[in-house]
Amino acid sequence: MPHLGKLESAVMDVLWSSASSLTVRDVLERMPAQRNLAYTTVMTVLSNLHRKAMVDREPAGKAYSYRPALTRQGAAAAALREVLDASGDPRSVLLHFAETATEEESTVLRDALARRPPKP
C-alpha cells in the first residue's frame, strides 16, 4: 500500500465517512471549507488513488463514482505491513512495539494471535 499525502488522506477520510460511492463533486463538497480546492485537483487526487488501488471507481453518467478499496483499518494494517517489510528487521520493530504497547493493545494482540489458525 502506498504512502498517502495530506490531501490524499483528506480525500480518503471523506470516502471512509460515506456510506455510499461519491463523485468528484460530492467529495469536493464534503472537503473541509479551509481547503478551497479546485474540482480538477480533487479529480486528479481520486485518479491517483485509483491508480494506487486505494479506491474503486465505476461509471456514473459522464463521470465516475468512487469508494474506498480498503477499510480505514485495512489501510492502516497494510501501512504497518509496509513498514515491517521495509525495516530490514521486522522482529526488532515488533519487539520495540511490544515494549511500547498499552495493556489493552497487548491484550488485543494476544487474543488475535490465540485465535489465528496455525500456518501449514
Side-chain angles (χ1 to χ4, degrees):
M1 173 182 138
H3 173 74
L4 298 179
K6 286 184 179 183
L7 187 51
E8 289 173 325
S9 292
V11 168
M12 288 304 299
D13 284 341
V14 169
L15 292 172
W16 280 320
S17 68
S18 176
S20 59
S21 296
L22 300 175
T23 64
V24 173
R25 176 78 47 211
D26 296 332
V27 172
L28 180 60
E29 290 172 355
R30 294 176 189 205
M31 290 294 288
Q34 70 271 19
R35 287 247 177 218
N36 196 21
L37 300 169
Y39 178 94
T40 54
T41 301
V42 175
M43 183 172 61
T44 299
V45 170
L46 284 164
S47 292
N48 290 339
L49 289 168
H50 181 258
R51 182 181 44 76
K52 293 178 179 183
M54 289 296 299
V55 299
D56 295 322
R57 69 181 182 193
E58 56 191 34
K62 293 181 179 182
Y64 289 106
S65 64
Y66 295 85
R67 67 181 178 284
L70 297 169
T71 64
R72 185 185 304 267
Q73 296 79 6
L80 178 56
R81 168 53 50 204
E82 189 176 285
V83 167
L84 289 172
D85 291 345
S87 73
D89 189 3
R91 183 178 188 278
S92 292
V93 173
L94 286 170
L95 289 173
H96 181 72
F97 176 77
E99 291 170 1
T100 62
T102 66
E103 207 45 54
E104 180 182 359
E105 291 165 343
S106 296
T107 299
V108 168
L109 286 170
R110 273 194 295 277
D111 291 348
L113 290 170
R115 288 190 311 270
R116 187 174 124 182
K119 299 251 180 178

